[in-house]
């Protein structure tokens, strides 16, 4: 081993002496200079000769150029190769394969093969290959070789592996047993090309969300919410009832909408009577129900929805609107004129437009000719 070290030192000496008149001495490759030797002042030093030693090795020993880019379809085999010439006493040094800067394990997705043979009296060539029998999208990445010569790492040029074809899943949701009312997560990941890869979640064949997630996607699976609680009447006018309520358990998914069902109490037993529906986004948990009839009792209940579905309705409460002004004027107005009498007749507003108890009318008139004059009076109706 000693003679071979001297021979390698002599080879380097001739190489560097060719381009200069002077003699440039390079230490033998078997010599590993000490690193980080403390100085008398306590400082750690990395000598210039250490750096020069590593530089000289990398300049003298290099991997041969290879393929820079490989594009292949999913399911096909692929193989990467690299080769390097070294002094013959390094021919048994193994070549390591890296993917994205991390060392690959032989037999895990990639199988190694290697051979070394002499190419001259004192030089040997090391060949190494990394083969994948059935390429997957997850195999895409940057590959390269590395060898260690006298503790100096030497790396080959990068090989960029790209996989063609449709996106494929590299992580799929797993079956789970969960307790009632407990949330759980499902994870799904797919890779392209093409990119970006969008993931839709389906339940019983139907999309759970219309907006896709970018891979990887984590779905928090929740339950339908519980029914709202403590529905209260906060205010009531002739045509509006303001209610408030407390949300029930949200099923581990935020509530987004609540729906009110409003029905006249007098029609409660009639299943065919109309039900008024009012919908609002939440929060806040307060809502004004509009366009109701005056002096009318209503039964009101509410249910709320998360991303899974609707809750049951809460217990109904009753509210009664107060009296309001008529929302329609009298109609069928007619005038009868005699020599000394003018009679005005009319029909009252429709019953549903009175909005309470009708107390009377106001009649406004003015006479034509002479000074314009307007007088008004009230006529009570019993």
């Amino acid at each position: 081993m000693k003679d071979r070290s001297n021979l390698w030192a002599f080879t380097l000496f001739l190489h560097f002496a060719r381009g200069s008149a002077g003699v440039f001495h390079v230490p033998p490759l078997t010599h590993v200079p000490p690193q980080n030797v403390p100085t008398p002042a306590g400082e750690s030093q990395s000598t210039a000769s250490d750096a020069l030693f590593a530089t000289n090795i990398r300049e003298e020993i290099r991997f041969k150029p290879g393929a820079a880019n490989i594009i292949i379809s999913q399911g096909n085999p692929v193989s990467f190769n690299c080769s390097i010439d070294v002094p013959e006493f390094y021919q048994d040094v193994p070549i390591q394969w890296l993917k994205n800067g991390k060392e690959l394990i032989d037999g895990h997705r990639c199988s190694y093969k290697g051979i070394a043979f002499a190419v001259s009296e004192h030089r040997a060539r090391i060949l190494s290959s990394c083969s994948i029998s059935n390429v997957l999208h997850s195999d895409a990445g940057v590959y390269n070789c590395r060898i260690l010569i006298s503790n100096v790492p030497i790396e080959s040029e990068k090989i960029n592996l790209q996989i063609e074809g449709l996106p494929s899943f590299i992580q799929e949701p797993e079956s789970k047993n969960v307790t009632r009312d407990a949330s759980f997560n499902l994870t799904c990941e797919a890779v392209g090309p093409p990119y970006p890869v969008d993931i839709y979640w389906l339940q019983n064949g139907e999309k759970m969300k219309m907006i896709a997630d970018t891979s990887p996607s984590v779905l928090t699976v929740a339950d339908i919410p519980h029914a709202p609680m403590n529905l209260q009447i906060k205010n009531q006018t002739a045509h509006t009832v303001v209610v408030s309520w407390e949300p029930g358990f949200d099923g581990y998914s935020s509530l987004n909408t609540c729906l009110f069902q409003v029905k006249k109490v007098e029609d409660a037993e009639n299943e065919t009577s109309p039900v008024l529906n009012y919908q609002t986004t939440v929060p806040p948990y307060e809502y004004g129900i509009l366009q109701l009839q005056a002096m009318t009792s209503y039964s009101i209940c509410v249910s709320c929805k998360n991303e899974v579905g609707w809750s049951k309705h809460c217990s109904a409460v009753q509210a009664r609107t107060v009296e309001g002004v008529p929302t329609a004027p009298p109609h069928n107005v007619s005038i009868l004129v005699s020599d000394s009498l003018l009679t005005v007749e009319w029909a009252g507003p429709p019953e549903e437009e009175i909005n309470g108890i009708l107390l009377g009318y106001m009649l406004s008139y003015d006479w034509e000719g002479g000074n314009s004059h307007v007088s008004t009076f009230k006529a009570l109706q019993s």
Side-chain angles (χ1 to χ4, degrees), residues 75-135:
N76 290 323
V78 68
S79 181
F80 319 114
N81 302 289
C82 66
S83 65
I84 190 170
D85 290 350
V86 298
E88 61 177 348
F89 45 86
Y90 287 106
Q91 68 179 18
D92 295 327
V93 175
I95 288 179
Q96 300 170 325
W97 279 94
L98 310 177
K99 177 187 177 184
N100 298 330
K102 296 182 179 179
E103 184 175 351
L104 287 171
I105 300 174
D106 187 14
H108 182 72
R109 294 299 305 151
C110 193
S111 299
Y112 292 177
K113 287 184 179 179
I115 189 174
F117 55 89
V119 291
S120 65
E121 184 178 357
H122 302 295
R123 303 281 284 180
R125 179 167 297 167
I126 305 175
L127 303 178
S128 180
S129 67
C130 174
S131 300
I132 303 174
S133 60
N134 185 10
V135 169

Side-chain angles (χ1 to χ4, degrees), residues 50-239:
D50 294 340
L52 182 61
F53 174 69
T55 301
N56 290 340
I57 288 180
R58 292 192 177 101
E59 288 182 352
E60 181 68 18
I61 304 177
R62 297 180 180 180
F63 280 95
K64 297 184 178 299
N69 292 285
I70 297 177
I71 301 176
I72 194 169
S73 299
Q74 180 175 324
N76 290 323
V78 68
S79 181
F80 319 114
N81 302 289
C82 66
S83 65
I84 190 170
D85 290 350
V86 298
E88 61 177 348
F89 45 86
Y90 287 106
Q91 68 179 18
D92 295 327
V93 175
I95 288 179
Q96 300 170 325
W97 279 94
L98 310 177
K99 177 187 177 184
N100 298 330
K102 296 182 179 179
E103 184 175 351
L104 287 171
I105 300 174
D106 187 14
H108 182 72
R109 294 299 305 151
C110 193
S111 299
Y112 292 177
K113 287 184 179 179
I115 189 174
F117 55 89
V119 291
S120 65
E121 184 178 357
H122 302 295
R123 303 281 284 180
R125 179 167 297 167
I126 305 175
L127 303 178
S128 180
S129 67
C130 174
S131 300
I132 303 174
S133 60
N134 185 10
V135 169
L136 303 176
H137 278 287
S138 57
D139 294 320
V142 177
Y143 294 78
N144 68 300
C145 294
R146 181 172 63 192
I147 193 171
L148 209 60
I149 301 295
S150 291
N151 292 327
V152 176
I154 301 171
E155 293 194 2
S156 69
E157 295 178 351
K158 304 292 191 292
I159 303 170
N160 184 27
L161 177 64
Q162 302 178 49
I163 312 300
E164 289 184 329
L166 296 174
S168 63
F169 290 104
I170 59 175
Q171 182 177 0
E172 298 185 23
E174 298 177 349
S175 299
K176 293 186 178 183
N177 293 321
V178 296
T179 58
R180 183 179 176 85
D181 294 335
S183 67
F184 59 96
N185 293 335
L186 295 175
T187 301
C188 189
E189 184 175 2
V191 294
Y195 288 97
V197 177
D198 292 333
I199 292 178
Y200 288 91
W201 289 94
L202 288 80
Q203 183 179 19
N204 298 327
E206 296 184 1
K207 288 183 180 179
M208 300 180 65
K209 295 189 299 182
M210 298 309 296
I211 300 176
D213 295 334
T214 301
S215 181
S217 174
V218 178
L219 175 69
T220 299
V221 180
D223 196 4
I224 61 173
H226 291 185
M229 304 177 294
N230 197 25
L231 179 62
Q232 294 182 345
I233 309 300
K234 295 196 67 177
N235 188 26
Q236 45 205 338
T237 65
H239 303 288

